[in-house]
Amino acid sequence: LTSPHYVRCLKPNGALIPDHFDPLMIVDQLRCAGVVEAVRVSRVGYPQRYNHAQFVTRYKNLALKELAKAAKGSRKMKPVDTLVDAIAKKMVEIDPTLAAPIDPKSRSDSKVDLMEVGIQVGKTKVFLRRRAFDILENMRKAYIATATVKIQAIARGFIQQRTFTEHCESSLQLQCWVRVIIAERKVQTVRELVNARKIQNAYRRYAGRRYYLCVLSVT
């Protein structure tokens, strides 16, 4: 981004009172000093300036496919040139009033007039007009928002999958414990029945033998 090259001192009020700013007086000083005109001229021209490395680092996500294709191609081009051409085409697609429309039949080979779009590539820097800068920033924010949503979706999917796996494992473990308890109760019930039958058989045998001895003694 642009950086200030000087500091302009302003008189806040005519009464020399602290913590009191007179807006009209300050505006008059800015206008008389030429600051307002300098800002207007800067905004009309190319107020945003990046060196090539900064521009590629900041906006490379907007043309990853084009940069990868250019890196693999036989024709060597600077990454900044490839990036600017790809971004300019996307900007024209978003706002056709920036430049003449691109012919769909020759879209891959056609060149966009960078002057009309508002981007100029210098020897060491890339210059952006205000409108082009605003469109670029909106594109970058939209890309970041989309990437953020995708990352959140993947993270939430991973969390839900992990939670589902933990619930399944917990349910399986709980089912195992319940089945163990039910099996133990069934075994205990079967043992009680078997022992009860043994006791009944022994008692019946004892009662039958006693009755038989009584009948023998009587006869």
Side-chain angles (χ1 to χ4, degrees):
L1 299 176
T2 56
S3 301
H5 296 281
Y6 60 90
V7 177
R8 176 68 64 179
C9 296
L10 301 175
K11 189 176 181 181
N13 57 75
L16 301 179
I17 301 174
D19 297 331
H20 175 69
F21 294 90
D22 187 354
L24 296 178
M25 185 175 180
I26 293 175
V27 170
D28 288 337
Q29 293 180 71
L30 292 174
R31 187 178 291 111
C32 293
V35 176
V36 176
E37 185 66 17
V39 172
R40 188 187 68 80
V41 172
S42 177
R43 291 176 67 88
V44 171
Y46 294 89
Q48 307 299 332
R49 303 170 184 177
Y50 297 94
N51 60 46
H52 290 178
Q54 289 177 341
F55 186 83
V56 172
T57 302
R58 186 173 181 83
Y59 298 110
K60 65 180 179 181
N61 291 329
L62 301 178
L64 292 176
K65 294 182 179 179
E66 290 80 357
L67 290 173
K69 184 177 179 180
K72 295 179 181 179
S74 59
R75 183 182 178 184
K76 297 299 181 180
M77 291 181 61
K78 292 183 178 180
V80 65
D81 294 331
T82 304
L83 181 60
V84 168
D85 290 339
I87 288 177
K89 293 179 181 179
K90 293 182 179 181
M91 291 173 63
V92 173
E93 293 177 359
I94 294 174
D95 190 356
T97 60
L98 288 174
I102 302 174
D103 186 5
K105 297 181 181 180
S106 61
R107 179 175 299 233
S108 58
D109 298 331
S110 60
K111 294 291 185 179
V112 180
D113 189 354
L114 298 180
M115 181 70 72
E116 295 182 0
V117 174
I119 304 177
Q120 288 295 309
V121 181
K123 187 175 181 180
T124 59
K125 289 187 178 182
V126 179
F127 301 87
L128 302 173
R129 289 186 184 274
R130 181 177 59 85
R131 187 177 180 186
F133 175 74
D134 293 339
I135 295 175
L136 268 180
E137 286 299 310
N138 291 333
M139 292 171 59
R140 182 172 177 269
K141 289 178 181 179
Y143 177 86
I144 293 175
T146 303
T148 303
V149 172
K150 289 182 180 180
I151 294 173
Q152 290 178 348
I154 294 172
R156 289 173 180 173
F158 172 76
I159 294 173
Q160 292 298 326
Q161 184 178 5
R162 185 179 63 182
T163 303
F164 176 75
T165 303
E166 291 177 354
H167 288 174
C168 289
E169 292 177 355
S170 300
S171 300
L172 182 60
Q173 188 175 4
L174 182 61
Q175 290 175 1
C176 292
W177 282 107
V178 171
R179 288 170 182 170
V180 168
I181 293 173
I182 294 174
E184 288 179 353
R185 289 182 179 178
K186 286 184 179 180
V187 170
Q188 183 67 23
T189 303
V190 171
R191 287 176 178 174
E192 291 176 356
L193 291 175
V194 171
N195 293 330
R197 289 194 184 98
K198 290 180 179 180
I199 293 172
Q200 290 176 356
N201 292 333
Y203 179 76
R204 286 171 183 172
R205 185 171 59 252
Y206 169 76
R209 185 172 181 279
R210 183 178 179 183
Y211 177 75
Y212 177 73
L213 292 177
C214 290
V215 171
L216 289 178
S217 64
V218 171
T219 57

Coordinates of all heavy atoms in Angstrom, one line a residue, residues 38 88 95 114 116 129 189 216-217:
A38 N -4.0 16.7 -3.6 CA -3.1 15.6 -3.8 C -3.8 14.3 -3.6 O -3.5 13.3 -4.3 CB -1.9 15.7 -2.8
A88 N -7.1 -10.0 -14.7 CA -7.8 -9.0 -15.5 C -9.0 -9.6 -16.2 O -10.0 -9.0 -16.4 CB -6.8 -8.4 -16.5
D95 N -17.1 -7.4 -14.0 CA -17.6 -6.1 -14.3 C -17.3 -5.8 -15.8 O -16.2 -5.3 -16.1 CB -16.9 -5.0 -13.4 CG -17.6 -3.6 -13.6 OD1 -18.5 -3.5 -14.5 OD2 -17.2 -2.7 -12.9
L114 N -5.1 -3.8 -20.2 CA -4.8 -3.5 -18.8 C -5.1 -2.1 -18.4 O -5.4 -1.7 -17.3 CB -3.4 -3.9 -18.4 CG -3.1 -5.4 -18.5 CD1 -1.6 -5.7 -18.1 CD2 -4.0 -6.3 -17.7
E116 N -7.4 -0.1 -19.6 CA -8.9 0.0 -19.3 C -9.3 -0.6 -18.0 O -10.2 -0.1 -17.3 CB -9.7 -0.6 -20.5 CG -9.5 0.2 -21.8 CD -10.3 -0.4 -22.9 OE1 -11.1 -1.4 -22.6 OE2 -10.3 0.1 -24.0
R129 N -5.6 1.1 -10.0 CA -6.5 2.2 -9.8 C -7.5 1.8 -8.7 O -7.5 0.6 -8.3 CB -7.3 2.4 -11.1 CG -6.5 3.1 -12.2 CD -7.4 3.5 -13.4 NE -6.7 4.0 -14.5 CZ -6.4 5.3 -14.6 NH1 -6.8 6.2 -13.7 NH2 -5.7 5.7 -15.7
T189 N -30.0 -68.1 36.5 CA -31.4 -68.7 36.5 C -31.3 -70.2 36.2 O -32.0 -71.0 36.8 CB -32.2 -67.9 35.5 OG1 -32.3 -66.5 35.8 CG2 -33.7 -68.5 35.5
L216 N -43.8 -101.5 54.0 CA -43.2 -102.7 54.4 C -43.4 -103.1 55.8 O -43.6 -104.2 56.2 CB -41.7 -102.8 54.0 CG -41.4 -102.8 52.5 CD1 -39.9 -102.8 52.3 CD2 -42.0 -104.0 51.8
S217 N -43.2 -102.1 56.7 CA -43.3 -102.3 58.1 C -44.8 -102.7 58.5 O -45.0 -103.5 59.4 CB -42.8 -101.1 58.9 OG -43.6 -100.0 58.6

